Structures are given as structure tokens and as C-alpha cells.
Amino acid sequence: MLARKLDLHHRLSAEDQSAILALPHKIRRLEAQSYTMREGDRPDRCAVLLEGYAFRHKVTGDGSRQIMSINIPGEALDFQNLFLEESDHNVQMLTRGVVAEIPRSAIEELVLSHAEVGRAILIASLIEASIFREWTLNIGRRDSRSRIAHLLCEFAYRITAQRLKPEGFYELPMTQEQLADATGLTAVHVNRVLQSLQREGLIERDRRMIRFLDWQAMQDVADFNPRYLHSPEIA
Amino acid sequence: MLARKLDLHHRLSAEDQSAILALPHKIRRLEAQSYTMREGDRPDRCAVLLEGYAFRHKVTGDGSRQIMSINIPGEALDFQNLFLEESDHNVQMLTRGVVAEIPRSAIEELVLSHAEVGRAILIASLIEASIFREWTLNIGRRDSRSRIAHLLCEFAYRITAQRLKPEGFYELPMTQEQLADATGLTAVHVNRVLQSLQREGLIERDRRMIRFLDWQAMQDVADFNPRYLHSPEIA
DNA sequence: CGTACGTTTGATCTTTCTCAATAATGGTGG
DNA sequence: CCACCATTATTGAGAAAGATCAAACGTACG
């Protein structure tokens, strides 16, 4: 279950794979909104997301929230924290879901005894860092229309690469307020932009389902180039 | 020279230290604005910054630039790229400076033979990722005043922690246009905000020199909490 | 079937951008 | 050392994107 799902973007030997498989872990079912890590916590375990979606966020002193990334099934939620003393951000479930929790000590040992696994964890962490950089560009330098389109493209691309997407449409399990917190906008403005994308025939919406009517046009509006995802697969 | 400067935020054994010391490298003097890495390049070496300042940035399709971080002496510039196939961003010198260039292959071997060094590189990369996240929060959720104050605080804090700062003031080697590209603002607005911080007696400026007149007040304006820097030292 | 949460709409306000002009500054060649 | 040129900083006026506030409308779920 664990090794089949854990996506490390890096080929591992059978021996390394079975070392991962042998990792002690506890399967845990989580409700939407529950935290797997809070800013200030000492990380003592790593959750691997098996089902459902999660997100990372931080909050300013005056209480506004910025979401810094979305996590999809197959991704480890806590590599960003596990090797540091103290978490600098929150990790929260977007939907209900299932995680496998691995004790920190087991991973520490694995990394020291299996250098290639350490390398794989480094690579996965660096790819996430690349996503953070793209989000900084997105929020700092694109207008609201491109920003939102970019988020939609990234999500569609990633779930497609992970073979989680059925057929031209998908569920984006985020409220408009969460979308706003991910793009540095307000929920009201997100609502208006979504409506305008719909009016122009780029997407269709039903509830939280999004259907792309023109993938190429969306990519153009979004200024989306998947290079930063460092994905071996093609969408 | 190399190991004395390379700052890895992680204690290493004498054996690991001397392995780093033994790394083949070439000292190179670089002019301001010169690139050490461009988006799309295959990373084949890692530059360690010995003198001067550098920055990371990306450019949107319509040509606007977003700076994602500043690097100061002692930091490795290319851990973010070295373990991936293709660079997803540019790294450029802010000032003239000196770097030590280490071949990728030498680092790859070192990481596989010295697991603790690999761990140190992972930690350094994760700290940089934490800085990316804080910048996303800064740009997405703080107003222009806090944003700029935050950048000034971070820079002051980091050069202080690295013992590069002389005495209450320091040179921030950035034009107002670069400051704008780092904060998601325009140069004109940066100019006005700097003047207002000065008018209110928070900072003094002379050329690119910045003097903090009230460190606590600046931290308050900036909503600056150094936790995200994961720095062992105290400022 | 009521309540809490999320979405949509309209009106108005503010921050920040844009455009354009002027003033300083720094570095360079003579 | 000085004149010149390119870059950077500063200022003002007007425009625009997105925020804010407030209310109404839907919808899911207990």
C-alpha cells in the first residue's frame, strides 16, 4: 500500500523499494479540515497521503491566510518539515482522506542506511520547492485571471500525471475562499473571475466540478508551462 | 576556503568536513548581472557563493520578472537545481562576487558516500524552501508597506546571523526596481513606500545603505518572525 | 426543515499601477 | 579631473484592478 502509492519521481532498486515497504506505519483516516501538522510543532512523523487532498498554509499576524500548495494522493506531506526542528507552516486536509503515518526515526534511519532513498526524498522536496517558486511568480506577477487559470491548470496537470483524472473534467475540492487564499485574492473576486472564464467558454462549472473546454486556451490564459513540475510523464 | 564558508546549518563530523574540503572546485570571479544558471539549463555544477550577493528569479510569458530569493555569501546557489534534470529558474549575481564551482558529479558521489552530507544538503534545501513559502505569504497577503519592511528585516537578519553586518546599518545591494520585482510591486511604488518608512523614522537611507532606527518597530510593521529561517543563532 | 456554510450580486472605496517628466548618481573615456 | 551617458531615483496626475461591505440566494446535511 505504502510503497505502491508513494511517488518519489526517482527510480529505486528492488532493495530500496522493499526497505520503504518495510517501513513501520499506521493507516489513519482523517476528516476534512483536520491538521496533520501545525506551525511550531516538532515534526515526529511523516504522513503520506493515500486518499484525499491536503494543503499547506501560513497565516499573517493580522489573520489572513495564504495557501502555498495543494497535495494530491501519493505525495508525502511532511518532508518539508521532517528534517527541521520546528514546523514553519500548517498542513491541513482539504477533504477527508487517508494517510499512512511513518515515525520520523524510521525515516531518519532509512535515509542514512539507503543513500538512494535519501536522494529520492531530496528530489521530491526540490520539486515541491520548485512549485513554491512558481506560485510566488504566479501571485507576484500575474493578474487575477491568469492566476486562477494557472492554479486550475496545475491541478489538472498534476492529477492527470498521477492518473487520478477521469475524463476532461475533474473535481477541484476547494471553496472559492480557499481558491482566494491560494491566489492572494478575495473570494468575491475569485467568484467573478470564475464566472468570466465560464462566460468566455473556457471552462464549465458544476458545484466544485471543473471541465476544461479548451485546454490549450487555458494554458495560454494561465501562462502555464509544466516545466517547473519536473514531471517525467506527459499530459 | 570552501568548507570554511559553506554554511550547511548542520554539524558534520571531521571526516565529512574534510570530504567537503577535498571537493574539486574552481574559484571564479563574476560580474554583477552575470548568470550562474538559466531556466532550461542542465545543471552540471554547483556554485557556492563566497563573496557578493545573488538572486533567483523567473519571468512570465509577457516579460515581467519575479525575484524569489536573495542569496548571501556562504550559501550554495545550485542545490535547488543540481538534483533535477533541468533548471526551472534563473540564478543571477546581484553584485560582482566570487564563487567556487564544484562539478555535479563530485557532489553526487559525495552524497552517496557520505549520508550525513546528503542530509546536510537536504536541510539547507528545505530551509530555502521555507523562505520561498514565507515570500509567498509576504507577496500574497501583506500590503506594500509590510512587504518591503519584511524584505528588509529578512535581509538584515540573515546577514547578521552570518556575521556580515557591521553595525546597525547595512548595504542592501538592490535597485528599487529589483526590490519591486522581489515584492510583486512597481519601482515607483517601492520608492514611495521607502520614503514613507523614512518619514516615519523607521529607517534612514543613503544610497543603497539602510539603517534601522527601530528594529522592533520594523519587525512589527513587517510582521516578521524569524522562525521560518530555522537559524540556530540569535540576532 | 432549519441552520451553517458557501456562492453570487451590487455599490463603493483604496491600493497600487501607469504614464510621463525631471533630477540625481555613477562610471567611462579623454 | 571633467564632460557625457546610461542607469536609477523621484515626483505628479490620472486610471484601474481588486478590495470591502452588505445583502440575498443556494445547498448540504444533521
Side-chain angles (χ1 to χ4, degrees):
Chain A
M1 177 66 155
L2 180 59
R4 184 168 52 76
K5 295 283 283 192
L6 180 60
D7 176 28
L8 286 172
H9 291 255
H10 183 59
R11 300 241 172 290
L12 289 173
S13 69
E15 141 72 349
D16 287 332
Q17 298 241 13
S18 55
I20 292 175
L21 209 55
L23 240 23
H25 62 274
K26 196 160 54 180
I27 301 295
R28 186 190 289 276
R29 197 163 293 277
L30 296 175
E31 285 306 305
Q33 318 306 328
S34 61
Y35 284 80
T36 77
M37 186 75 66
R38 280 174 193 274
E39 183 172 352
D41 283 358
R42 313 263 150 191
D44 61 346
R45 62 202 150 40
C46 177
V48 175
L49 194 55
L50 301 179
E51 286 170 34
Y53 296 92
F55 65 105
R56 298 179 190 287
H57 73 273
K58 301 185 81 159
V59 175
T60 62
D62 66 0
S64 47
R65 177 176 68 169
Q66 178 66 46
I67 295 178
M68 14 277 308
S69 70
I70 309 297
N71 287 98
I72 68 177
E75 296 178 340
L77 298 181
D78 298 309
F79 287 161
Q80 293 293 329
N81 286 313
L82 204 58
F83 301 90
L84 300 174
E85 292 309 309
E86 198 173 71
S87 175
D88 54 73
H89 65 284
N90 306 290
V91 182
Q92 203 174 356
M93 292 300 293
L94 203 48
T95 62
R96 68 177 51 179
V98 179
V99 298
E101 285 185 353
I102 308 165
R104 174 175 180 153
S105 56
I107 293 188
E108 302 259 25
E109 284 161 26
L110 183 64
V111 163
L112 292 180
S113 62
H114 292 71
E116 279 292 344
V117 176
R119 195 168 188 287
I121 289 176
L122 175 58
I123 288 172
S125 304
L126 291 176
I127 291 173
E128 244 196 313
S130 173
I131 295 176
F132 297 145
R133 287 190 293 270
E134 182 70 23
W135 280 44
T136 301
L137 175 65
N138 199 38
I139 293 169
R141 286 294 183 226
R142 295 198 185 100
D143 66 15
S144 59
R145 179 182 170 67
S146 297
R147 258 187 242 185
I148 290 174
H150 195 279
L151 182 68
L152 298 181
C153 284
E154 178 183 309
F155 194 81
Y157 188 97
R158 286 169 61 199
I159 61 179
T160 303
Q162 283 275 34
R163 307 180 198 305
L164 294 168
K165 179 159 147 289
E167 255 310 296
F169 63 92
Y170 63 91
E171 182 171 16
L172 179 68
M174 297 173 75
T175 66
Q176 294 179 7
E177 174 152 24
Q178 289 164 338
L179 235 28
D181 286 345
T183 49
L185 300 166
T186 58
V188 171
H189 199 64
V190 166
N191 181 274
R192 298 201 232 257
V193 170
L194 286 175
Q195 287 184 57
S196 100
L197 291 174
Q198 186 164 30
R199 257 199 314 279
E200 296 166 47
L202 289 163
I203 59 172
E204 269 174 6
R205 293 181 302 146
D206 176 34
R207 218 65 45 80
R208 311 255 163 97
M209 296 309 265
I210 299 277
R211 183 191 297 273
F212 279 38
L213 298 179
D214 186 342
W215 172 244
Q216 185 57 50
M218 277 296 280
Q219 276 190 271
D220 293 347
V221 168
D223 185 30
F224 179 75
N225 176 338
R227 161 150 47 208
Y228 74 97
L229 295 171
H230 298 279
S231 172
E233 31 250 292
I234 309 122
Chain B
M1 179 67 155
L2 182 59
R4 184 167 51 78
K5 295 283 285 194
L6 182 58
D7 176 28
L8 287 171
H9 291 256
H10 183 58
R11 299 239 174 291
L12 290 172
S13 69
E15 141 71 350
D16 287 332
Q17 297 242 12
S18 55
I20 292 175
L21 208 57
L23 240 24
H25 62 276
K26 196 161 56 179
I27 300 295
R28 186 190 288 275
R29 197 163 292 277
L30 296 174
E31 286 306 306
Q33 318 305 329
S34 60
Y35 283 81
T36 77
M37 186 75 66
R38 280 174 193 273
E39 182 170 352
D41 284 356
R42 312 263 150 190
D44 60 347
R45 61 201 149 43
C46 178
V48 175
L49 193 55
L50 301 179
E51 287 170 34
Y53 296 91
F55 66 105
R56 299 179 189 287
H57 73 273
K58 300 185 81 158
V59 175
T60 62
D62 66 0
S64 48
R65 177 176 70 170
Q66 178 66 46
I67 294 177
M68 15 277 309
S69 70
I70 308 298
N71 286 99
I72 68 176
E75 296 179 339
L77 298 181
D78 299 309
F79 287 160
Q80 293 292 330
N81 286 314
L82 204 58
F83 302 91
L84 300 173
E85 292 308 309
E86 197 173 72
S87 175
D88 54 73
H89 66 284
N90 306 290
V91 183
Q92 203 174 356
M93 292 299 292
L94 201 50
T95 61
R96 68 177 51 179
V98 179
V99 299
E101 286 185 351
I102 307 165
R104 173 173 179 153
S105 56
I107 293 188
E108 302 260 26
E109 285 162 24
L110 182 64
V111 163
L112 291 180
S113 63
H114 292 71
E116 279 292 343
V117 176
R119 195 167 188 286
I121 289 177
L122 175 58
I123 288 172
S125 304
L126 292 175
I127 291 173
E128 243 194 315
S130 173
I131 296 176
F132 297 145
R133 288 190 293 270
E134 182 70 24
W135 280 44
T136 300
L137 175 65
N138 199 38
I139 293 169
R141 285 294 182 225
R142 295 199 185 100
D143 67 16
S144 58
R145 179 183 170 67
S146 297
R147 259 187 242 184
I148 290 175
H150 195 279
L151 181 68
L152 297 180
C153 284
E154 178 183 309
F155 194 81
Y157 189 96
R158 285 169 63 199
I159 60 178
T160 303
Q162 281 277 34
R163 306 180 200 304
L164 294 167
K165 179 160 147 287
E167 255 309 296
F169 62 94
Y170 63 90
E171 183 171 17
L172 179 69
M174 297 173 76
T175 66
Q176 293 179 7
E177 174 151 24
Q178 288 164 338
L179 235 29
D181 286 346
T183 49
L185 300 167
T186 56
V188 170
H189 199 63
V190 166
N191 181 275
R192 299 199 229 258
V193 171
L194 286 174
Q195 288 184 54
S196 102
L197 290 174
Q198 186 165 28
R199 256 198 315 279
E200 295 165 48
L202 289 164
I203 58 172
E204 268 174 9
R205 293 182 302 147
D206 177 34
R207 220 65 46 83
R208 311 254 164 96
M209 296 309 266
I210 299 277
R211 183 192 298 273
F212 278 38
L213 297 180
D214 187 342
W215 173 245
Q216 185 57 51
M218 277 295 281
Q219 276 191 270
D220 293 347
V221 167
D223 186 30
F224 179 75
N225 177 338
R227 161 149 48 207
Y228 74 97
L229 295 171
H230 298 278
S231 172
E233 30 251 294
I234 309 122

